[in-house]
Amino acid sequence: MVEKIYQWLEDRTGLISLIGKVAKHPVPSGARWWYVFGSATLCAFIIQVASGIALALYYIPSADEAYVTLQTITQSTTFGAFARALHYYGASAMVLMVGIHMAQVFLQGSYKFPREMNWLTGVLLLGFTLLMGFTGQILRWDQNAVWTAVVAAKQASRAPLVGGWLSTLILGGPTVGGSTLSRIFVVHVFLIPALVFAFVGLHLLLVLRHGISEPPQPGKKVNPQTYRKEYEAALKKDGVPFWPDAIWRDMVFAAAMTIGIVILAFVFGPPELGHPPDPSLIDANPRPDWYLIWYFAVLALLPHGIENFFMIFAPLFAGILLILFPFISNHGERSPSRRPWAVAVVIMVVVMIGAFWLAGVKSDWSPNFDPKPLSVEVIGADSGPIFKGAHLFEVKGCLNCHLIEGDGGRRGPDLSEVGDKLSANQMLLLISNGAPNMPSYASTLTPTEIDEIIAFLRSRHSRVK
Amino acid sequence: MSKQNSIPAVTDAKKISRRSFFQRLIFALAGLMTAAVGIPLVGFIFRPLFKKPPSVWRPVGKIDSFKIGETVAVTFLQSSPLPWAGVTAKTAAWLRRESTDNFTAFSTSCTHLGCPVRWRSEAQLFMCPCHGGVYDKDGSVAAGPPPLPLPRYPTRVTKDQVEILVTL
C-alpha cells in the first residue's frame, strides 16, 4: 500500500526522484567545516519563520494595541516569553551566520567564476537580513522602538531630493503615528520575507547549478576557460554525495546553533519591553539592537561636516562595492594564503566593526543624565568657593559630560586632574567660549560663578605623590 | 516544386504574423492588468506623500500655569491622528514663556538624528542623549553634531489659553 502511494506520488509529481537527485548531487570531498555557515543561516531563517508565525498569532500590528499584546505575550502566555526570545536570538544568529558565511566565501575566493551571481544574491540576502533585524526592533513597539523609527526617518530625510518623501513613506506621515507600525509590519512580515524566500531559492538554485566550490589550493588558479571542465573532472574523481556525506556536518552545526539559541532564549528571555510607545514621553534614550550598535557609533563619531554625505553614500557605496566585487576580479588565485589583501580586508572590517561596536556599547559621547552627586570627600571642602564651584559644576550640566573621580559623563575630558593641566586663564577661555563639543557658558554663568567653578577645577590634582 | 514550396512559405508568414499579434496582445493585456490593479494600489500606498496634514491650533495649558523665563514640556495631539493611533497620537514640545504674552515652542526632536532632547533648567541647555548634541535656551546649536537649531512651532494666546500650531 505504502509502495503504491509512493509510486503514484512519484508518477504524478516526480518530486521524490527530483529531491533524491538534488540530495545526492556530488560535492567536492574536501568541503568540510568551513562550509556549514550558509546552511546555518538558512536554519536560523527557518527558526525566524516558525517563531515569527507563532508571534503573529498573538501580535496585533496596531499602534494602539501592539504594546499591550507584547506585554500579554511576554507575561501571561504559555511559552510567549520564550517565543519572543527565540525570535530575538534567532535574528542575532542569522545576522552572525550570514556575516561569517560571507567572510568565508570572500576569504576562500568562492565568489569567483562561475559563482558571481551566488555572491550577488548573497549580498542582497545580507541586506535583507539587516533590514529584517532593524524593522523587527521597531515592531517591539515600545518607547525605544518609536524613537528608533523617528531616527530612521530622520536619517532617510538627509537623502538629497527624495529625503522628505522617504521619511514620510517610512513613518506613513510627517511624524510617527498610527500608520507607522502598520507599514513597518508589512515590510517585516510580508515584503522582505517574500524577497528572502525568492532570493534564498535563487541562491540554492545557483549552488546546485554551479556546485559547491572546492576548497581552495595555493597555486590552483581559476581560469574561466577551463574551470568548469576541471571542476567536473574533480567531482568525477573524488566527489561525494551531498546526502549524507556532506550534509551531516551542516546538521551537526545547525543543531548546535539551534540548541544554543534555545538555551539563550530560556536563560536570558526576550529583550525587555521599555516604556509605552508614547512620543510625548521624551525621557528616552533610543539605541539599536546589538548588530547595529557599531553603525550608531559611526554616526556619533563622524566629523560633523561630512554627515549628510556619509549617511547616504557610505551604505550605498559599500553595497555597490560588494555587488561589484566578483565583476572586478573573477579569476586567479582563491587561496587566502595567496591573497593577503583579502585576509587584510576581512581583518580590517572585523576590527573596525568591533571597535565601533565597543564604542557604541560604551556611548561615551552621550551625556550622563543621572550622575552621582559629588561628595564632600571628592570636593575636598564643605564651604567656600571650591564647594560652591563644585555645586555649580553639577547643576550647570558640566558633570553630565565630564568625569570627576570616576563620577559623571564621558562626553568631554576627565577633569579629575585638570588643576595640573590647565591654568585659570585657560579654563576661563574654555568655559566662556566653549569648544566644538562644549557649549559656551558666557551668557549663562555670572563672572562670580565662573570664578567659583575655576576654583573648584583648580583644586583637582593628581593624588599620586 | 517551386510552387509547392511557395505555398507553405505564405502560410508560415501568416502564422508568424498571428504569433506576433498574439505576443503583442499578451504584453498589452499584461500591461493593462498591471496598470488597472497597480495604479490605484500605488496611489494608496504612496498616499501619505500627497496628503498634507491640516494645521490645527492645539491648547497646551492656561497662560497662568507657565512662569516667565521657564521652559517646560507640554503634550498635545497631532493635527489629524488616525483613530487607532492610541498613545502614538500624542506628541510634545518644549514651551518657554518669554514674557507676559510671548511664548516660544521648540520641537523635542534633535536636528541631528531625531532623538528627543532634554531640558536642563539650571544649565539652561537642551541636551540630546543619543550623540551629545547641545542647544542653547533659544534653540540654537551650542555644541555637538546637530546641523540646525531646534525647529519652532508657532504659538498664540487665545482666551488665556496657550496654543501651538500643529502640522504633524
Side-chain angles (χ1 to χ4, degrees), chain A residues 66-401:
Chain A
Y67 184 75
V68 180
T69 60
L70 283 165
Q71 281 182 317
T72 308
I73 291 169
T74 311
Q75 294 161 8
S76 54
T77 310
T78 310
F79 285 121
F82 174 75
R84 275 196 61 217
L86 189 67
H87 206 58
Y88 174 72
Y89 290 109
S92 301
M94 195 171 162
V95 171
L96 205 59
M97 289 304 137
V98 79
I100 296 173
H101 179 48
M102 200 155 191
Q104 172 254 321
V105 166
F106 180 74
L107 276 174
Q108 299 194 336
S110 303
Y111 60 86
K112 296 191 175 190
F113 180 89
R115 300 182 181 86
E116 296 96 330
M117 285 301 291
N118 300 41
W119 171 266
L120 197 147
T121 51
V123 170
L124 292 175
L125 285 166
L126 170 76
F128 295 149
T129 303
L130 292 176
L131 210 50
M132 284 292 276
F134 185 72
T135 51
Q137 187 192 344
I138 297 176
L139 292 193
R140 206 186 305 142
W141 195 236
D142 57 4
Q143 188 189 33
N144 190 56
V146 162
W147 285 105
T148 301
V150 173
V151 169
K154 194 80 181 176
Q155 269 192 72
S157 74
R158 300 273 191 110
L161 301 173
V162 294
W165 287 7
L166 287 176
S167 168
T168 306
L169 280 176
I170 290 170
L171 297 177
T175 188
V176 71
S179 295
T180 310
L181 183 64
S182 325
R183 281 176 177 258
I184 302 293
F185 181 80
V186 166
V187 171
H188 185 83
V189 174
F190 296 111
L191 201 59
I192 307 179
L195 289 169
V196 172
F197 272 113
F199 278 89
V200 163
L202 183 57
H203 199 68
L204 293 177
L205 197 71
L206 291 168
V207 169
L208 288 172
R209 178 175 168 78
H210 301 301
I212 295 169
S213 67
E214 73 281 18
Q217 290 172 15
K220 194 180 173 193
K221 296 181 179 179
V222 173
N223 178 354
Q225 308 297 325
T226 57
Y227 179 82
R228 282 196 165 110
K229 277 185 185 170
E230 289 166 7
Y231 182 78
E232 290 297 325
L235 276 190
K236 273 185 187 161
K237 191 180 163 202
D238 60 358
V240 293
F242 179 63
W243 175 283
D245 292 40
I247 197 174
W248 72 267
R249 290 187 187 85
D250 296 80
M251 288 305 290
V252 168
F253 187 77
M257 182 192 73
T258 304
I259 290 166
I261 292 170
V262 169
I263 290 172
L264 284 172
F266 267 120
V267 174
F268 295 106
E272 193 183 353
L273 269 184
H275 295 296
D278 181 348
S280 69
L281 299 176
I282 44 186
D283 202 15
N285 194 3
R287 290 282 185 279
D289 280 345
W290 71 267
Y291 34 81
L292 287 174
I293 278 279
W294 65 274
Y295 187 62
F296 171 77
V298 169
L299 295 181
L301 299 172
L302 272 178
H304 300 168
I306 63 162
E307 271 178 345
N308 272 3
F309 181 81
F310 186 91
M311 277 183 207
I312 303 305
F313 292 105
L316 202 65
F317 179 72
I320 291 172
L321 190 69
L322 280 173
I323 286 170
L324 287 181
F325 228 93
F327 301 102
I328 295 168
S329 168
N330 73 339
H331 59 278
E333 285 284 354
R334 281 187 52 214
S335 171
S337 64
R338 297 285 176 93
R339 293 164 60 237
W341 57 269
V343 180
V345 165
V346 170
I347 291 173
M348 194 182 75
V349 169
V350 170
V351 169
M352 267 174 57
I353 289 181
F356 278 119
W357 188 83
L358 282 175
V361 170
K362 284 160 65 183
S363 295
D364 286 347
W365 52 82
S366 294
N368 178 357
F369 285 102
D370 200 19
K372 198 173 126 192
L374 298 172
S375 65
V376 172
E377 288 73 31
V378 168
I379 296 167
D382 55 7
S383 63
I386 292 177
F387 181 76
K388 285 181 184 171
H391 175 69
L392 286 166
F393 191 84
E394 273 180 44
V395 299
K396 293 295 181 181
C398 312
L399 194 59
N400 295 123
C401 295

Side-chain angles (χ1 to χ4, degrees), chain A residues 64 147 151 154-155 158 165 176 178-179 183 277-280 282-284 296 300 304 307 365-367 369 395-396 436 438, chain B residues 45-46 48-49 75 78 82 84 86-88 90-91 94 112-114 116 118 122-123 125 128-132 143-145:
Chain A
D64 192 20
W147 285 105
V151 169
K154 194 80 181 176
Q155 269 192 72
R158 300 273 191 110
W165 287 7
V176 71
S179 295
R183 281 176 177 258
D278 181 348
S280 69
I282 44 186
D283 202 15
F296 171 77
H304 300 168
E307 271 178 345
W365 52 82
S366 294
F369 285 102
V395 299
K396 293 295 181 181
M438 174 182 161
Chain B
I45 292 167
F46 288 87
L49 294 183
T75 60
Q78 293 166 8
L82 291 167
W84 59 87
V87 289
T88 60
K90 290 161 75 177
T91 188
W94 289 110
H112 178 226
L113 282 177
R118 302 183 196 180
E122 292 194 77
L125 295 169
C128 180
C130 285
H131 299 106

